[in-house]
Amino acid sequence: MVKKKTPNPNPTERFIYREFGASENSEALQRGVPDLPPNQQSPRVETSSKGRKGKTVTIIRGFQANPETLTDLLKKLKNLCGAGGTLKENELEIQGDHKQRIVQYLQQLGYKAKGSGG
């Protein structure tokens, strides 16, 4: 007599040990991001062309804000510069060299922004 194994109907739910309970409560396990007001943040603005085949990109890093706030700010900066851009790992990237314009705009919004690099 050969015993047949019945396949697990949900293979993603297969685990041996789970320390923090059910995965349905994953919101409770995520670390909160502090959403500080602009006057308490000091973003750095720099230009870089490393790893971009010679294309210059303005990078703004050092924000302590939630992704919704950064997405809204990115949209304003892209409109200001008339260029494309993206949000990567809490860093804003704007295509082209717009360092001075972005520093002035962030300072108008209340950020303690500074240019970094040459």
Side-chain angles (χ1 to χ4, degrees):
M1 177 176 216
V2 177
K3 227 180 198 183
K4 289 185 178 180
K5 284 187 175 181
T6 56
N8 188 357
N10 194 355
T12 59
E13 289 295 320
R14 193 175 149 191
F15 60 89
I16 296 171
Y17 174 75
R18 184 177 290 171
E19 186 174 41
F20 292 108
S23 62
E24 293 85 31
N25 199 7
S26 62
E27 290 179 18
L29 299 177
Q30 292 178 354
R31 183 175 297 184
V33 177
D35 197 11
L36 296 177
N39 61 359
Q40 294 181 3
Q41 296 188 46
S42 305
R44 299 284 183 226
V45 182
E46 67 181 49
T47 56
S48 173
S49 60
K50 266 189 176 174
R52 295 178 176 87
K53 299 182 182 178
K55 306 278 184 182
T56 304
V57 174
T58 305
I59 302 171
I60 307 108
R61 53 174 61 116
F63 287 107
Q64 294 179 345
N66 60 23
E68 293 83 22
T69 305
L70 293 179
T71 304
D72 185 45
L73 180 61
L74 175 66
K75 185 175 179 180
K76 291 177 184 176
L77 290 175
K78 287 177 9 180
N79 192 15
L80 172 76
C81 299
T86 186
L87 172 64
K88 291 184 180 176
E89 301 170 5
N90 275 358
E91 293 181 353
L92 303 176
E93 293 184 2
I94 305 291
Q95 296 173 355
D97 186 359
H98 306 285
K99 184 173 168 181
Q100 294 300 321
R101 183 181 297 168
I102 291 175
V103 168
Q104 289 175 355
Y105 183 72
L106 289 175
Q107 288 174 347
Q108 287 175 359
L109 292 178
Y111 291 95
K112 299 175 187 174
K114 292 184 181 178
S116 67

